Amino acid sequence: DAGITQSPRYKITETGRQVTLMCHQTWSHSYMFWYRQDLGHGLRLIYYSAAADITDKGEVPDGYVVSRSKTENFPLTLESATRSQTSVYFCASSVPGQNTEAFFGQGTRLTVV
Amino acid sequence: RKEVEQDPGPFNVPEGATVAFNCTYSNSASQSFFWYRQDCRKEPKLLMSVYSSGNEDGRFTAQLNRASQYISLLIRDSKLSDSATYLCVVFETGYALNFGKGTSLLVTP
């Protein structure tokens, strides 16, 4: 299907485990982003990527790793999950430019127990 | 990271009312401005861009005051379906979209 999709939609994992959240877009947008959304904090940028093999840290990158070997995929890995990483994670993509729309995936609800 | 501030609400208004949301941003070099809408537990979606001259889309009017670093959204003739969280968003050069925490709107019959 065309668009931007995230998987899994829901995930429960244990503290200390590694977990990867997947993001795939079919538009060939060069920009991709990962945000987390928590009550009281709104959407906070974790990492973003301007193109394949180009990534940069956002506001809250600690404990997360990203890669972008292909334009259409932007996986987010929690190297050793902590309870504070329990959140809703949104992936987004856009074309370059100031007045361009960012399109969001449906989100992944991650619970770390 | 520069701040984007919004009144969290909630704003409870009856159908047909006019409601206004405000937003301030701290980075004077910010270049682009948007309002996104987010329904409960769903992804944010673009409602409208905000231009310096002000712009309107049906019942929605957005305005930007660069001197005061202030953005507003006016919703006229509120509908039940307008109930959502409205996110003020600022694009900063060399950075991604910077989101406010959102303002919650509940339109009641």
Side-chain angles (χ1 to χ4, degrees), chain A residues 33 35 37 40-41 43 45 48 58-59 90 98-102 104-106 109, chain B residues 1 31-32 34 36 38 41-44 46 51 87 91 94-97 99 101:
Chain A
F33 313 90
Y35 289 87
Q37 188 171 34
H41 287 281
L43 280 150
L45 182 68
Y48 65 106
E59 181 188 2
F90 286 104
Q98 297 176 21
N99 274 317
T100 59
E101 178 177 358
F104 283 80
Q106 292 178 295
R109 186 171 297 272
Chain B
R1 175 173 173 262
Q31 299 188 330
S32 305
F34 310 89
Y36 276 68
Q38 186 174 27
R41 295 176 172 260
K42 297 206 171 170
E43 73 273 24
L46 179 67
Y51 302 115
L87 304 168
F91 177 82
Y95 206 69
L97 295 175
F99 286 78
K101 295 179 183 178

Side-chain angles (χ1 to χ4, degrees), chain A residues 30-74:
Chain A
S30 58
Y31 275 84
M32 294 189 76
F33 313 90
W34 274 106
Y35 289 87
R36 61 178 287 177
Q37 188 171 34
D38 306 287
L39 204 60
H41 287 281
L43 280 150
R44 292 182 290 174
L45 182 68
I46 305 171
Y47 270 96
Y48 65 106
S49 168
D53 297 322
I54 301 174
T55 62
D56 211 344
K57 294 179 180 180
E59 181 188 2
V60 288
D62 292 343
Y64 302 95
V65 174
V66 293
S67 62
R68 187 130 180 246
S69 58
K70 293 184 177 181
T71 298
E72 61 266 31
N73 296 325
F74 191 37

Side-chain angles (χ1 to χ4, degrees), chain B:
Chain B
R1 175 173 173 262
K2 304 296 183 177
E3 295 299 319
V4 179
E5 301 285 347
Q6 295 181 249
D7 181 344
F11 285 63
N12 293 337
V13 301
E15 270 186 292
T18 296
V19 60
F21 304 139
N22 303 319
C23 167
T24 59
Y25 61 96
S26 61
N27 185 357
S28 59
S30 297
Q31 299 188 330
S32 305
F33 310 90
F34 310 89
W35 284 100
Y36 276 68
R37 170 188 168 135
Q38 186 174 27
D39 293 291
C40 186
R41 295 176 172 260
K42 297 206 171 170
E43 73 273 24
K45 293 183 179 179
L46 179 67
L47 178 66
M48 58 195 303
S49 299
V50 186
Y51 302 115
S52 297
S53 56
N55 49 298
E56 190 173 304
D57 183 2
R59 297 180 293 107
F60 299 84
T61 300
Q63 293 196 314
L64 168 65
N65 184 323
R66 285 189 182 269
S68 301
Q69 295 179 204
Y70 172 94
I71 305 161
S72 66
L73 176 68
L74 183 76
I75 305 175
R76 292 181 300 277
D77 189 24
S78 298
K79 311 292 185 190
L80 296 176
S81 57
D82 293 334
S83 297
T85 297
Y86 291 84
L87 304 168
C88 178
V89 186
V90 173
F91 177 82
E92 302 170 5
T93 304
Y95 206 69
L97 295 175
N98 191 0
F99 286 78
K101 295 179 183 178
T103 298
S104 176
L105 172 66
L106 178 62
V107 182
T108 55

Side-chain angles (χ1 to χ4, degrees), chain A residues 89-112:
Chain A
Y89 291 85
F90 286 104
C91 177
S93 72
S94 74
V95 298
Q98 297 176 21
N99 274 317
T100 59
E101 178 177 358
F103 295 87
F104 283 80
Q106 292 178 295
T108 294
R109 186 171 297 272
L110 176 68
T111 301
V112 183

